[in-house]
Amino acid sequence: MPKRTLFLNPPSYEKFDGGASSRWPATREIESYWYPVWLCYPAGMLPGSEVVDAPPHKVSPAATVDMVSDFEFVVLFTSTPGFSKDCLLAEAMKAANPEIGICFVGPHVGSRPTESLEESQAIDFVVRKEFDYQVVEFANGTPASELGGVSYRAPDGSVVHNPDVPRIDDLDALPWVTPVYKRCLDIRRYNVPFLKHPFVSFYTTRGCPALCSFCLWPQTISGHSWRVRSADDVANEVRWALDSLPGLSEIFFDDDTFNIRKARVLELCAKLKPLDFTWSCTSRVNVDYETLKAMRAAGCRLLIVGYESGDPQILKNIKKGATVERALRFTRDAHKAGLTIHGDFIVGLPGETRETIRRSLEFAKRLDTETIQVSVAHPYPGTTFFDQALSNGWLTGDSMTDSAGHQLPNIRYDDLDQKEIMQWVERFYDEYYFRPRAAWRIVRKALFDGKERRRLRKEAREYLALRAKRKNYGSQAGA
């Protein structure tokens, strides 16, 4: 029998969205949670295992420690902002159940395996990249010392790094995650403001060939090698989810980038269209109108698009592989096809100045996407951006979150300090949403949709409360 295994997305902070599908681990301005997709793949290979996604299910650290007596093995997905707290939690779990094995996974330990193991004796081993098969093999009795891609502590206290293993090519061989959601999670606890509720998310691909210097996942866990599930396998999981999860409103394909290859997207659309359901996905800006039109016809509603910046030099600095002109044309085409866009922007990227941020803000207004998210630029360990920040002295040594897990800058440039970066994030939101056109979109939704009205009221309260908290921001940012 395999070890009784707990797959844990830990309660690093209250309301913290830092787990196995969040690209920007943080407590959001508006409470929202992504699914712990990465943990659910190996959980699907271990009958009797349990997935606990603590933040959305309101599971406290104390309750987490109480449950470890029921398990022999814990797989904990950690993040850079939550790592120190997760170590304390692991130590408490070991104290409560000294025989339990604890493995940490995720980008932070994958990029800093030695430092992670030295940080806490409670961590028995870490898996540096994809961890699906390694944790299953350990649960089935294989010692960590015999597992590829694993780092562990030898009897003499030294850290041993076993050789890497190839990325997983046959994604169809992996289990579906949606049955694990049904078994272990309450899908109504997952909310993302721009997605329909309730929704589920999962991957149709892994990896991304793009070389964006700031992007965490391809540089740490999923890799740059783009691997795909067959269109039939994706369609079959969609069909199962629609039949088995009552009240499901939307499916989100949470790939690093969903629509890289046109032929594959068109093949997938042909399989999805007869299922007659609403779906959304990620997208780059180099998708043509024909593909966008086919996606819309197959039920696609919304695209999450990482525009990042409206300054041409910043786009070059981060190796985005996109231009301002192409982004404008793509956005026109997507809107012409009837698609909604959630645009992602980042403030504080390498080379950023007041002028480049202003260009990004004006660019966002020209795009006029339905919703936006503005993130603080965070150089995560394992990324090119982190190496740049370290070598150029941009890192301040401060935390990248406040005491509640909300984003704070931990970089400073010669003419752009942390306090001003944060002020530009707030200004970006203000100038974008307080335009008549953008404000009317929000009011129109509230007028004609009671559910939307209640949601917007809740989000407004949460956002204004955080704004008030940040009003005197400065001491935590080293200003």
Side-chain angles (χ1 to χ4, degrees):
M1 292 290 292
K3 298 180 191 298
R4 298 190 304 277
T5 302
L6 169 64
F7 293 91
L8 177 64
N9 186 27
S12 309
Y13 300 91
E14 186 180 1
K15 300 181 181 179
F16 185 69
D17 186 18
S21 186
S22 173
R23 286 175 172 79
W24 291 94
T27 305
R28 308 295 174 201
E29 292 92 343
I30 297 167
E31 185 177 6
S32 63
Y33 303 103
W34 292 99
Y35 282 84
V37 184
W38 281 94
L39 290 173
C40 292
Y41 283 107
M45 292 185 256
L46 285 174
S49 64
E50 185 70 30
V51 178
V52 171
D53 191 0
H57 293 81
K58 312 303 180 188
V59 180
S60 68
T64 306
V65 172
D66 286 343
M67 69 176 64
V68 298
S69 60
D70 296 329
F71 298 97
E72 300 169 281
F73 179 39
V74 175
V75 180
L76 187 152
F77 197 104
T78 191
S79 64
T80 297
F83 178 69
S84 60
K85 290 199 169 197
D86 298 340
C87 286
L88 294 175
L89 180 68
E91 289 159 10
M93 289 192 290
K94 278 281 191 181
N97 182 1
E99 300 303 314
I100 199 164
I102 298 180
C103 168
F104 272 32
V105 296
H108 183 83
V109 296
S111 59
R112 289 183 157 183
T114 299
E115 297 89 338
S116 299
L117 287 163
E118 290 175 346
E119 180 74 19
S120 176
Q121 293 293 311
I123 307 172
D124 293 303
F125 68 97
V126 306
V127 187
R128 296 190 297 273
K129 295 179 182 177
E130 291 176 324
F131 55 86
D132 310 72
Y133 290 118
Q134 290 96 323
V135 297
V136 170
E137 290 174 22
F138 182 84
N140 283 319
T142 303
S145 60
E146 297 178 16
L147 296 172
V150 159
S151 297
Y152 65 98
R153 198 179 299 102
D156 64 0
S158 63
V159 174
V160 179
H161 305 290
N162 289 348
D164 285 337
V165 294
R167 305 279 183 183
I168 299 171
D169 286 326
D170 186 2
L171 300 186
D172 284 7
L174 293 171
W176 296 343
V177 293
T178 44
V180 179
Y181 296 167
K182 183 177 177 66
R183 174 166 62 89
C184 298
L185 307 176
D186 178 358
I187 69 169
R188 295 191 174 274
R189 291 181 177 268
Y190 292 87
N191 170 65
V192 172
F194 46 84
L195 296 181
K196 292 182 176 295
H197 183 267
F199 78 101
V200 296
S201 63
F202 58 85
Y203 300 134
T204 77
T205 68
R206 283 191 183 182
C208 179
L211 300 176
C212 303
S213 64
F214 63 89
C215 193
L216 180 63
W217 293 91
Q219 297 183 78
T220 54
I221 295 291
S222 58
H224 291 296
S225 173
W226 192 61
R227 297 147 290 147
V228 305
R229 294 170 60 184
S230 68
D232 282 333
D233 191 51
V234 174
N236 287 337
E237 182 168 10
V238 166
R239 187 179 293 107
W240 187 93
L242 295 173
D243 290 343
S244 305
L245 300 171
L248 187 63
S249 296
E250 183 162 42
I251 292 176
F252 183 76
F253 298 128
D254 198 16
D255 307 18
D256 287 315
T257 303
F258 174 81
N259 48 13
I260 292 176
R261 189 178 300 156
K262 180 175 181 177
R264 198 259 175 175
V265 175
L266 296 180
E267 178 192 12
L268 195 51
C269 286
K271 298 287 185 180
L272 298 180
K273 186 175 181 179
L275 301 180
D276 190 24
F277 73 107
T278 300
W279 55 279
S280 297
C281 65
T282 57
S283 180
R284 287 177 64 82
V285 300
N286 54 354
V287 183
D288 64 20
Y289 176 68
E290 181 185 2
T291 304
L292 294 167
K293 188 176 178 181
M295 292 168 63
R296 183 70 186 101
C300 185
R301 182 187 67 86
L302 173 142
L303 307 175
I304 296 182
V305 182
Y307 295 103
E308 325 307 0
S309 175
D311 183 87
Q313 187 57 52
I314 297 295
L315 294 175
K316 291 178 182 177
N317 291 351
I318 62 173
K319 299 182 180 179
K320 183 63 184 176
T323 65
V324 169
E325 293 76 18
R326 185 69 192 88
L328 288 165
R329 184 162 69 252
F330 162 85
T331 305
R332 288 194 297 268
D333 286 345
H335 282 151
K336 180 181 175 183
L339 292 162
T340 296
I341 298 177
H342 174 77
D344 285 343
F345 298 87
I346 304 174
V347 172
L349 292 165
E352 200 84 273
T353 64
R354 299 174 187 88
E355 291 74 23
T356 62
I357 301 172
R358 170 53 64 185
R359 275 192 282 275
S360 287
L361 177 48
E362 297 305 321
F363 172 65
K365 293 176 185 177
R366 288 180 66 192
L367 295 170
D368 195 37
T369 62
E370 284 73 11
T371 54
I372 63 167
Q373 178 175 321
V374 187
S375 297
V376 174
H378 278 158
Y380 282 94
T383 65
T384 302
F385 183 21
F386 179 83
D387 294 338
Q388 286 179 305
L390 195 62
S391 62
N392 286 285
W394 300 335
L395 285 173
T396 65
D398 298 318
S399 173
M400 59 175 62
T401 64
D402 64 17
S403 59
H406 295 103
Q407 286 186 332
L408 291 178
N410 66 334
I411 52 173
R412 180 192 296 116
Y413 301 113
D414 289 341
D415 58 350
L416 196 67
D417 65 20
Q418 295 160 278
K419 184 175 181 179
E420 192 167 4
I421 289 172
M422 200 71 250
Q423 289 172 339
W424 272 107
V425 170
E426 307 294 0
R427 186 180 303 176
F428 208 121
Y429 277 123
D430 286 349
E431 290 195 26
Y432 189 86
Y433 279 115
F434 285 99
R435 297 173 299 133
R437 184 184 182 96
W440 170 241
R441 278 197 296 259
I442 296 171
V443 171
R444 185 173 55 198
K445 281 185 179 181
L447 284 174
F448 298 105
D449 187 332
K451 183 178 179 181
E452 187 72 10
R453 186 161 55 249
R454 290 188 294 274
R455 182 183 68 81
L456 289 168
R457 187 160 52 239
K458 176 179 180 292
E459 291 175 3
R461 286 197 303 267
E462 292 171 347
Y463 181 67
L464 291 173
L466 181 60
R467 285 293 297 271
K469 179 181 177 182
R470 285 177 169 171
K471 187 174 182 180
N472 298 318
Y473 170 74
S475 59
Q476 292 189 69

